[in-house]
Amino acid sequence: MQYIVEARGLTKTFGDIRAVDGISFHILPGECFGMLGPNGAGKTSTIRMSYGFSPMTAGSLRIFGHEVNGNWRDIKSRIGVCPQDNNLDPDLTVAENLELYAHYFEIPKEEARRRTKRLLEFISLEHRRDAKVTELSGGLMRRLVITRALINNPELLILDEPTTGLDPQSRHQVWERLEELRFRGLSTLLTTHYMDEASRLCDRLVIMDYGKILVEGKPADLIKTYVGRDVIEVAAPSRELQDFVVAQHMEHENLSHRLVIYTHEGEKNFREISTRFSNVGCTLRMASLEDVFLKLTGRGLRE
Amino acid sequence: MIALSPFTIAKRYLMSLQRNFVVYRKVWLTNALPNIMLPFFLFVSFGLGLNFLVGKFFYHGIEVSYVHYIAPAMISINVVFNAFFESTYSSYVRMDRQKTFDAMMATPLTMTEIMTGEILWGATKALIATAIMQAVISLFGLIQYPEGFLILPLAFLGGIAFSAFGLFFTGTLPTFEMVNLPVCLIVCPMCAVSGTFFPLQHMAPWLQWIAEALPLTHLVKITRAFSFGVMDAELWWSGAYLLVFCAIFFPLAVYVMRRRIMK
Ligand SMILES: Nc1ncnc2c1ncn2[C@@H]1O[C@H](COP(=O)(O)OP(=O)(O)OP(=O)(O)O)[C@@H](O)[C@H]1O
Ligand SMILES: [Mg+2]
């Protein structure tokens, strides 16, 4: 099987900071591969190395089956990038931004115009085609950046927090579009801070912290392995309940004002806890990727 | 792999020039005028004003009036302003605030291509500005033709030199405000002492030495020769100086910009 991206011991340092600390991963054809991690985990640094923007400090990288060794032109012509920061051209209109970008890819004028039209429809922006990008709302700008990444019909789409700043409507629209693209076989590398987004879109993902990969797997498998099936949350738990949980060897996290219990027998435990202790502020829900994330990376703030 | 024509390859080096031109075209008048105004008013106030006080004198064996003398120098200063300001203030904004180069780096373009386009764009602005200014000055009958037409390609060469020089500072100065430093400490003094407003041969030797080391001195010498229509062999030295200056600062500017952007 040929990988779309294959990283071995990928490392990036900035002075003393090891932003990416020898990570290895691969992306399969047609797969949406997620990269999660707290602020400063090294996601953007990894992404920047994987489209040749940032030289790697150490390690090796194969993209589309070829070792990258300075010749990025062919590789870059097959990749679409949506960077973390919007870098649209503020001096140009929406359509001009796309057409100029197409020009950088040496797409002929006529074809560039066709693609621009089609993409603006795809992302429902055609009514703003002649607006200056500085007049767009933050959310619209973001959608335009995502759209711009598709202008060269890429084989690999790299999205660094594509939906940050989008309202729920636009986010759902972007998700649908991305699913449509995946259905057509597009491989994607995605970072996000939204766990629901990662669960929904990613076939496989890694969780990073301090430049290292902590775990890798399918979202559902990760949840099953690291958290279980259900989560019981109790607000303001009593002393007795806290002792009970410890005595019963239940896997839990005590956040002093809140008790989080991970379990495979949610309903049974929930009934027992809510009848024996208190049923106010006691909830049972399905375990989510967010639980895995918090459990593995801790609750302390970064940066 | 398709065979590449030289034209296709050349086009890649012009991408950022083209981008800037598209933006420039939108409000070309407000883009073209500001940098021309200062050299032009210098020309009007010094040239026409001092013309009566200074009287005529000899330059390389021909008798010239003061306005005649400084007209080519103002064309050269115009080149410096347009090229240098474009590749410092404007390129800095594109690099730092608009992230134009970051966006371009996510396309097949290379840093060398992008920066070549920036430098050539500064030179193109210098060329446009020269054409406008030269047209006005020619109305006063101060430029000898057909030799005067050579000023245009020369302005482009000078534009490359000063555009690359400016981009070198864009790639090295930590903040936007610091761009004022090379403007005040290098460009402005250079414009004063490069045989622009007064002939150098009457000055102290140390000042002459400094002037000979400055690129503007050589640009002014050649521009003056072209507008008076008097050429001599010494011009080859000045031309060679400008070429060497380009050959040093062009790759240096590309290098510092790459180092700065591709972290
Ligand atoms: N150009 C740079 N110079 C110095 N340090 C940098 C640079 N870019 C990133 N870093 C550092 O590298 C580390 C990883 O940063 P990176 O942007 O890759 O994190 P991230 O996972 O994308 O975070 P976020 O979720 O906030 O976007 C951080 O500690 C950051 O401060
Ligand atoms: Mg990031």
Side-chain angles (χ1 to χ4, degrees):
Chain A
M1 171 72 89
Q2 195 194 53
Y3 298 132
I4 297 291
V5 177
E6 188 181 7
R8 294 256 156 272
L10 197 61
T11 302
K12 179 80 202 178
T13 58
F14 296 104
D16 296 335
I17 304 170
R18 293 185 81 79
V20 180
D21 199 357
I23 65 171
S24 301
F25 64 91
H26 62 265
I27 302 176
L28 298 167
E31 176 181 55
C32 179
F33 182 81
M35 201 173 266
L36 310 182
N39 293 137
K43 305 179 294 296
T44 300
S45 305
T46 305
I47 279 187
R48 287 179 158 208
M49 283 188 279
S50 47
Y51 68 93
F53 184 86
S54 167
M56 38 191 191
T57 310
S60 76
L61 197 57
R62 286 174 78 83
I63 299 180
F64 303 126
H66 303 287
E67 196 72 36
V68 296
N69 44 14
N71 180 23
W72 281 96
R73 186 188 302 282
D74 290 336
I75 295 172
K76 288 204 290 179
S77 69
R78 297 161 69 186
I79 297 182
V81 181
C82 165
Q84 182 167 358
D85 303 313
N86 290 347
N87 52 23
L88 295 165
D89 207 314
D91 299 315
L92 302 175
T93 67
V94 169
E96 283 171 337
N97 257 281
L98 296 181
E99 281 166 15
L100 184 70
Y101 220 62
H103 183 59
Y104 296 153
F105 282 93
E106 300 176 34
I107 297 165
K109 267 221 161 60
E110 264 313 299
E111 176 64 16
R113 226 168 272 146
R114 262 198 303 277
R115 286 192 196 179
T116 298
K117 186 164 181 302
R118 204 185 57 217
L119 283 174
L120 289 177
E121 283 164 9
F122 185 63
I123 205 88
S124 314
L125 262 177
E126 68 271 41
H127 61 294
R128 302 301 300 273
R129 75 181 305 281
D130 295 318
K132 279 192 85 168
V133 298
T134 42
E135 294 162 4
L136 300 182
S137 70
L140 279 188
M141 274 192 215
R142 199 67 195 142
R143 266 155 70 196
L144 184 57
V145 179
I146 300 171
T147 310
R148 191 184 62 179
L150 297 169
I151 197 82
N152 57 325
N153 290 334
E155 294 161 59
L156 169 64
L157 184 60
I158 296 181
L159 304 168
D160 197 349
E161 299 188 26
T163 60
T164 298
L166 294 190
D167 61 20
Q169 288 86 350
S170 326
R171 175 168 304 162
H172 278 271
Q173 193 224 25
V174 167
W175 288 349
E176 276 165 36
R177 293 298 176 256
L178 292 178
E179 281 167 341
E180 210 173 313
L181 292 168
R182 188 178 57 172
F183 184 71
R184 289 192 225 151
L186 181 62
S187 315
T188 307
L189 170 58
L190 171 84
T191 79
T192 178
H193 287 302
Y194 301 111
M195 298 300 136
D196 50 342
E197 178 166 303
S199 309
R200 174 162 169 181
L201 296 177
C202 298
D203 299 299
R204 222 156 41 82
L205 55 85
V206 291
I207 297 179
M208 291 179 70
D209 204 4
Y210 298 109
K212 290 198 164 72
I213 291 178
L214 302 178
V215 290
E216 181 261 293
K218 294 188 167 71
D221 293 348
L222 291 175
I223 296 171
K224 219 179 294 161
T225 316
Y226 291 94
V227 190
R229 208 164 58 96
D230 303 305
V231 175
I232 299 166
E233 288 199 44
V234 189
S238 62
R239 188 74 252 160
E240 296 78 50
L241 175 57
Q242 293 177 33
D243 294 340
F244 171 76
V245 168
V246 175
Q248 296 283 310
H249 300 293
M250 287 178 160
E251 203 180 342
H252 70 282
E253 258 186 286
N254 198 338
L255 311 172
S256 70
H257 292 295
R258 199 167 186 85
L259 192 64
V260 184
I261 304 161
Y262 306 111
T263 168
H264 284 276
E265 302 167 302
E267 273 166 48
K268 177 172 156 283
N269 293 141
F270 179 72
R271 231 177 299 123
E272 190 171 7
I273 289 170
S274 56
T275 46
R276 276 185 61 179
F277 299 92
S278 96
N279 52 1
V280 251
C282 181
T283 52
L284 169 68
R285 58 174 176 79
M286 295 227 309
S288 71
L289 197 56
E290 188 139 346
D291 298 310
V292 181
F293 186 91
L294 288 173
K295 194 167 174 198
L296 292 174
T297 59
R299 289 174 189 266
L301 293 181
R302 303 303 158 82
E303 304 241 283
Chain B
M1 192 82 194
I2 20 164
L4 290 171
S5 72
F7 178 70
T8 313
I9 293 172
K11 237 173 46 179
R12 292 174 181 159
Y13 285 94
L14 296 178
M15 290 284 187
S16 58
L17 184 154
Q18 240 173 322
R19 179 246 161 234
N20 295 336
F21 184 69
V22 167
V23 174
Y24 177 86
R25 222 174 35 187
K26 292 194 164 194
V27 270
W28 71 272
L29 205 62
T30 44
N31 278 325
L33 285 185
N35 290 343
I36 301 179
M37 293 323 269
L38 185 60
F40 187 70
F41 284 125
L42 284 174
F43 166 68
V44 171
S45 55
F46 280 91
L48 302 181
L50 286 179
N51 200 32
F52 301 102
L53 295 176
V54 175
K56 299 206 167 198
F57 56 97
F58 280 92
Y59 176 83
H60 283 243
I62 58 164
E63 194 181 33
V64 292
S65 63
Y66 189 63
V67 67
H68 205 162
Y69 177 77
I70 72 162
M74 293 309 113
I75 290 177
S76 301
I77 287 180
N78 194 30
V79 167
V80 175
F81 276 25
N82 278 277
F84 194 84
F85 289 178
E86 182 63 27
S87 68
T88 47
Y89 294 110
S90 305
S91 293
Y92 211 109
V93 169
R94 285 193 280 275
M95 168 183 78
D96 205 42
R97 205 161 320 151
Q98 306 190 345
K99 308 279 178 209
T100 311
F101 309 136
D102 292 18
M104 294 177 91
M105 276 306 289
T107 73
L109 295 172
T110 65
M111 196 49 91
T112 307
E113 289 161 354
I114 298 169
M115 290 307 140
T116 301
E118 281 293 295
I119 293 171
L120 294 180
W121 168 243
T124 305
K125 271 197 86 172
L127 178 65
I128 297 170
T130 300
I132 296 171
M133 181 121 160
Q134 191 179 348
V136 176
I137 289 179
S138 298
L139 294 180
F140 294 86
L142 296 173
I143 295 173
Q144 177 90 25
Y145 286 98
E147 292 91 334
F149 286 119
L150 289 171
I151 292 172
L152 291 170
L154 175 66
F156 193 72
L157 174 67
I160 292 176
F162 286 104
S163 188
F165 192 45
L167 200 61
F168 167 74
F169 290 106
T170 299
T172 40
L173 294 172
T175 67
F176 180 72
E177 286 69 28
M178 285 177 82
V179 171
N180 293 327
L181 291 177
V183 171
C184 295
L185 300 179
I186 301 175
V187 171
C188 289
M190 178 179 72
C191 288
V193 303
S194 296
T196 40
F197 297 95
F198 48 83
L200 287 167
Q201 60 263 38
H202 311 299
M203 297 296 132
W206 63 269
L207 190 62
Q208 292 195 32
W209 276 106
I210 291 177
E212 285 299 323
L214 296 172
L216 181 57
T217 304
H218 300 279
L219 183 61
V220 170
K221 269 188 198 166
I222 311 175
T223 310
R224 203 166 265 144
F226 287 169
S227 40
F228 293 175
V230 285
M231 321 284 194
D232 58 40
E234 208 194 315
L235 294 180
W236 289 110
W237 282 112
S238 293
Y241 177 102
L242 289 179
L243 287 174
V244 169
F245 190 87
C246 290
I248 294 170
F249 277 96
F250 202 122
L252 200 57
V254 174
Y255 171 76
V256 294
M257 286 300 279
R258 174 183 294 117
R259 195 185 55 180
R260 170 156 206 165
I261 294 170
M262 296 175 67
K263 283 221 249 338

